[in-house]
């Protein structure tokens, strides 16, 4: 029974609402509330703060959630191991993704997973690099695509070096150049892509000792391209996002090879289902040369 209560607390923590948790778990709201109350009685301290704006975990609740997620992960792993002994691949895996991966890679990888391992259920959670790393640490996901960092907390499978390109409009002085130097970036207003975690572009600027004139900072790539189309500046974006670059823009390589390194970060002790996902992802990339 405790595992069911653990699952209820985990879902409440994710959606911050008894009502939404009840809907997701196909339970009544009173059943969800009763389960949390029973856990609080069992542990001897409150786990959630109930207020009009929703549900937040207490400090004790946050601490217990980490331990509870480990228990749920191990329980899932036990069932997957048992299935693998019977020659089956089944279970649920939660994967952290960011935009270009979800657009370019995931549809075909998921199709392969459904074809080869129909009993494995995949859940996706989209965020930026930093959020994905935090979800891995907190146990909210089993594995996640990140820009590779040097961290001993994860096992990282290197997948692709994605070139970073300078995007300019046809009114830019750089438009007809075959390559761009980093010093060239100081000649025109720059639109800085912003996202959490390891920041490829800021690191490049530090390494190359350049200080462009940053006019805007934007997270959405389509907004950045729109700004460039209206001749409001230049920017740097990964090649994976530039398949359909608008007319009147060019994506120019740098004189110095510049790229982001995409990898799949996992916990060191993967479940059988997560191993199948990692193997499928690697094989698909090798075959498709994406």
């Amino acid at each position: 029974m405790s595992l069911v209560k653990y699952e209820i607390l985990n879902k409440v923590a994710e959606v911050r609402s008894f009502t939404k948790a009840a809907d997701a778990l196909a339970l009544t709201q009173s059943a969800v509330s009763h389960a949390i109350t029973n856990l609080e009685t069992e542990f001897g301290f409150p786990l959630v703060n109930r207020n009009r704006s929703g549900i937040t975990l207490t400090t004790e609740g946050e601490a217990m959630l980490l331990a509870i997620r480990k228990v749920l992960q191990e329980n899932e792993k036990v069932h997957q191991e048992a299935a693998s002994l019977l020659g089956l691949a089944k279970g649920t895996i939660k994967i952290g993704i960011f935009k270009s991966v979800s657009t370019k890679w995931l549809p075909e990888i998921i199709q392969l997973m459904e074809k080869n391992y129909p009993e494995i259920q995949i859940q996706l959670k989209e965020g930026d690099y930093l959020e994905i790393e935090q979800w891995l640490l907190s146990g909210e996901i089993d594995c996640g695509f990140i820009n590779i960092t040097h961290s001993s907390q994860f096992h990282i499978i290197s997948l692709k070096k994605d070139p970073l390109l300078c995007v300019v409009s046809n009114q830019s002085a750089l438009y007809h150049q075959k390559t761009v130097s980093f010093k060239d970036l100081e000649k025109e207003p720059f639109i800085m892509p912003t996202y959490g975690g390891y920041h490829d572009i800021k690191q490049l600027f530090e390494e190359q000792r350049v200080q462009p004139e940053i006019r805007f900072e934007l997270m959405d790539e389509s907004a950045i391209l729109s700004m460039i189309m209206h001749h409001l500046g230049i920017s740097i974006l990964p090649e994976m996002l530039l398949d359909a670059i608008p007319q009147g823009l060019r994506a120019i390589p740098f004189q110095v090879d510049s790229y982001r390194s995409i990898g799949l970060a996992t916990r060191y002790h993967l479940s059988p289902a997560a191993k199948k996902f990692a193997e499928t992802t690697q094989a698909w990339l090798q075959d498709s040369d994406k």
Side-chain angles (χ1 to χ4, degrees), residues 12-26:
V12 168
E14 286 182 359
V15 299
R16 307 288 176 174
S17 163
F18 283 165
T19 303
K20 291 179 180 178
D23 291 343
L25 296 167

Side-chain angles (χ1 to χ4, degrees), residues 99-169:
K99 183 177 178 180
S100 48
V101 164
S102 63
T103 303
K104 296 278 291 184
W105 293 358
L106 261 294
E108 291 188 43
I109 293 173
I110 290 175
Q111 281 184 329
L112 277 177
M113 288 290 295
E114 289 181 343
K115 177 183 177 182
N116 297 329
Y117 311 108
E119 296 300 316
I120 294 178
Q121 297 182 4
I122 295 175
Q123 297 178 4
L124 303 178
K125 189 166 184 175
E126 190 169 34
D128 58 38
Y129 305 147
L130 181 58
E131 288 174 325
I132 292 170
E133 290 180 16
Q134 290 173 337
W135 295 335
L136 274 168
L137 290 172
S138 67
E140 293 181 59
I141 58 176
D142 300 294
C143 55
F145 293 91
I146 63 170
N147 192 348
I148 293 175
T149 59
H150 301 287
S151 172
S152 61
Q153 299 178 91
F154 312 124
H155 172 64
I156 298 178
I157 302 167
S158 181
L159 297 175
K160 178 183 176 66
K161 291 181 176 179
D162 185 23
L164 295 172
L165 304 175
C166 180
V167 185
V168 303
S169 76

Side-chain angles (χ1 to χ4, degrees), residues 23-242:
D23 291 343
L25 296 167
L27 297 171
T28 64
Q29 186 174 342
S30 61
V32 170
S33 180
H34 185 65
I36 300 299
T37 300
N38 282 347
L39 272 181
E40 291 177 326
T41 301
E42 182 180 329
F43 293 148
F45 46 76
L47 297 169
V48 300
N49 297 309
R50 301 162 174 83
N51 52 56
R52 292 182 180 178
S53 60
I55 301 296
T56 58
L57 294 185
T58 63
T59 302
E60 295 83 0
E62 293 283 0
M64 289 305 301
L65 183 63
L66 290 175
I68 283 170
R69 281 178 172 160
K70 289 179 182 178
V71 172
L72 292 174
Q73 288 163 1
E74 288 304 313
N75 181 62
E76 172 69 17
K77 187 176 178 181
V78 166
H79 284 86
Q80 290 184 23
E81 290 286 0
S84 68
L85 292 174
L86 295 173
L88 303 172
K90 63 188 301 184
T92 300
I93 49 175
K94 299 178 180 179
I95 304 164
I97 56 173
F98 54 86
K99 183 177 178 180
S100 48
V101 164
S102 63
T103 303
K104 296 278 291 184
W105 293 358
L106 261 294
E108 291 188 43
I109 293 173
I110 290 175
Q111 281 184 329
L112 277 177
M113 288 290 295
E114 289 181 343
K115 177 183 177 182
N116 297 329
Y117 311 108
E119 296 300 316
I120 294 178
Q121 297 182 4
I122 295 175
Q123 297 178 4
L124 303 178
K125 189 166 184 175
E126 190 169 34
D128 58 38
Y129 305 147
L130 181 58
E131 288 174 325
I132 292 170
E133 290 180 16
Q134 290 173 337
W135 295 335
L136 274 168
L137 290 172
S138 67
E140 293 181 59
I141 58 176
D142 300 294
C143 55
F145 293 91
I146 63 170
N147 192 348
I148 293 175
T149 59
H150 301 287
S151 172
S152 61
Q153 299 178 91
F154 312 124
H155 172 64
I156 298 178
I157 302 167
S158 181
L159 297 175
K160 178 183 176 66
K161 291 181 176 179
D162 185 23
L164 295 172
L165 304 175
C166 180
V167 185
V168 303
S169 76
N170 54 16
Q171 289 190 14
S172 167
L174 307 176
Y175 186 77
H176 295 290
Q177 295 186 193
K178 292 183 178 179
T179 59
V180 172
S181 72
F182 281 94
K183 280 295 181 184
D184 287 335
L185 301 179
E186 295 181 331
K187 299 175 183 177
E188 301 191 29
F190 189 80
I191 302 168
M192 175 68 79
T194 58
Y195 42 85
Y198 176 85
H199 202 305
D200 330 77
I201 298 170
K202 288 183 178 178
Q203 182 180 0
L204 279 173
F205 289 168
E206 291 174 6
E207 291 173 353
Q208 300 297 323
R209 298 181 181 179
V210 296
Q211 294 182 317
E213 175 199 340
I214 298 174
R215 187 172 186 182
F216 305 115
E217 296 190 19
L218 297 171
M219 181 176 292
D220 184 73
E221 292 88 358
S222 59
I224 292 171
L225 290 173
S226 180
M227 290 288 184
I228 301 170
M229 286 176 62
H230 288 82
H231 320 298
L232 297 174
I234 63 176
S235 190
I236 297 174
L237 290 172
E239 186 177 60
M240 280 176 65
L241 291 170
L242 296 171

